[in-house]
Amino acid sequence: MAMLVIEGTFRVVGARPDGDSVRFYPNDLDDWNKVEGGHRVRRNKSGGAQLRLDGIDALETHFLTGAGETHQPPRFADAASAELLDFLGFTDVVRREKDGTVTAAEPLQAPGYIFTRTADVYGRCVAFAGKGAAPGPSGTKIHFDVPMVQRTVNYHQLARGLAYPTFYRKLFPDLRTAMSEAAKSARAEQLGVWPKDVTLTGARVAKERSLEEDLVILPKLFRRLADYLSLNDGDLSLGGFLDYLDQKDDRLFILSTGHWTSLDTIVEVTDDDTVRMTVPCEDLIFEEK
C-alpha cells in the first residue's frame, strides 16, 4: 500500500489531544498539499493540522452534542490520551482541569512522522503516526506494510486495549488484519477497556450520566447514543433509537458474511432500554462519509 510519508513534529500545548487524535506540524508545510482525496487538510496559522488516527477509535474525552459537551468514562478515555502522548515522547503533561487543554508538556514538540492518503470531511488528516525519523524521504510515497504499521501509535493503542478497531474502506486488508489481531489479543488478555466493554453484551442507560460514568462501549455507538439522547429533552427511553440510526444511515460491510448494510441492522434495543451491537467491531468496515 503506497502512502505519503511526512516528517515533522507533534505539539500538544494549547490543544486537547485524546486517544486517537493529536496535532502535527510538517517540516515542509507544502507537504499538506500533497495529501490526496476529496477534502483538503485544514491547518492553523502555524501550519499544524489535527490528525485522525486511522483504524482506531478511542473513548471520547470531549464530544459535542446538541445539549453540550459530553464524554465517555474518564478512567479509560484519559488513559488512552495519556498513553498516546507517552508513546510520542511527551512527559510532565499538565492539563487545565476545566476542559482538558494542555497547558504544559516536556518537550514542547516531539519529532515524528505520519503516513497518510487523505483527509476526512472535517479537514482532519487521516493518518498513521510514528515517532522519531521517518522511514523514507518526507513528501514522497513509499510502500507502507505491516511491520511499519506495528511501529505506529495506532497499532500501539490497539495492542494496549485502549482503542477499538474501527475500519473504513480505504484501509488495505493486510493492514486491517494485523490491527484486528492486535485488538483481539488485547481482548483475550483483558487489557485496557476490554474487561468493562459491554458493546456486545448490552449497555443499559439507567440514568442521565450512564454514558459518561459507567458504560464502556464502541465510541461510534456512544456518539450515536449521545446525539440521540440530546434530542430527547431528558427522556432516557431508547424506543426510537433504531429509527434514529436508520435516519443516520451509517453504511457498513460485514466481513464474515460479505453483506453491505447499515448500523441500525446490527444494533438491538430491548424492552428495558438495553442496547447492544450484534457484530464485533473488527468484523466491520464503515463507509466514509
Side-chain angles (χ1 to χ4, degrees), residues 87-285:
F87 177 92
L88 294 177
F90 292 100
T91 62
D92 300 320
V93 177
V94 179
R95 291 181 182 262
R96 191 159 57 214
E97 185 174 351
K98 178 181 178 181
D99 61 5
T101 299
V102 175
T103 57
E106 292 291 337
L108 288 177
Q109 56 186 37
Y113 60 90
I114 63 171
F115 280 96
T116 183
R117 296 178 71 199
T118 188
D120 68 13
V121 67
Y122 303 106
R124 297 175 300 179
C125 181
V126 181
F128 289 87
K131 56 187 174 182
S138 185
T140 67
K141 288 185 178 181
I142 65 174
H143 181 67
F144 185 59
D145 57 17
V146 169
M148 290 181 178
V149 167
Q150 292 171 334
R151 294 198 293 270
T152 67
V153 71
N154 311 52
Y155 185 91
H156 178 83
Q157 295 291 76
L158 291 176
R160 294 298 186 276
L162 292 172
Y164 290 82
T166 304
F167 304 131
Y168 290 86
R169 288 183 66 184
K170 292 183 179 180
L171 185 62
F172 276 27
D174 59 335
L175 308 183
R176 185 180 67 237
T177 298
M179 297 177 79
S180 291
E181 291 304 317
K184 287 189 283 189
S185 293
R187 181 190 293 139
E189 296 175 34
Q190 291 289 279
L191 302 179
V193 301
W194 294 115
K196 296 293 184 181
D197 171 64
V198 291
T199 304
L200 297 177
T201 56
R204 183 169 182 266
V205 184
K207 60 184 181 181
E208 188 173 349
R209 296 183 65 84
S210 289
L211 288 177
E212 294 185 344
E213 297 176 350
D214 305 321
L215 302 176
V216 178
I217 57 175
L218 181 73
K220 181 175 281 290
L221 181 60
F222 162 81
R223 291 190 290 268
R224 295 296 178 257
L225 280 167
D227 278 335
Y228 170 76
L229 292 172
S230 74
L231 298 174
N232 284 359
D233 300 322
D235 182 359
L236 299 182
S237 170
L238 299 182
F241 183 55
L242 293 184
D243 287 337
Y244 175 79
L245 289 182
D246 180 50
Q247 295 161 24
K248 295 295 290 186
D249 195 30
D250 292 300
R251 303 297 298 174
L252 56 87
F253 181 77
I254 304 176
L255 288 164
S256 59
T257 63
H259 288 152
W260 276 105
T261 184
S262 54
L263 184 58
D264 60 290
T265 68
I266 62 164
V267 173
E268 292 181 350
V269 177
T270 62
D271 291 339
D272 67 346
D273 290 322
T274 295
V275 59
R276 75 181 191 95
M277 289 177 57
T278 60
V279 180
C281 51
E282 68 270 15
D283 196 21
L284 303 174
I285 300 177

Side-chain angles (χ1 to χ4, degrees), residues 51-119:
L51 303 180
R52 192 191 86 193
L53 296 181
D54 201 358
I56 70 172
D57 208 356
L59 267 63
E60 295 283 355
T61 58
H62 45 273
F63 177 66
L64 188 62
T65 72
E69 193 168 276
T70 185
H71 57 80
Q72 292 186 261
R75 172 186 169 189
F76 300 104
D78 292 346
S81 178
E83 186 71 21
L84 180 141
L85 297 184
D86 180 71
F87 177 92
L88 294 177
F90 292 100
T91 62
D92 300 320
V93 177
V94 179
R95 291 181 182 262
R96 191 159 57 214
E97 185 174 351
K98 178 181 178 181
D99 61 5
T101 299
V102 175
T103 57
E106 292 291 337
L108 288 177
Q109 56 186 37
Y113 60 90
I114 63 171
F115 280 96
T116 183
R117 296 178 71 199
T118 188

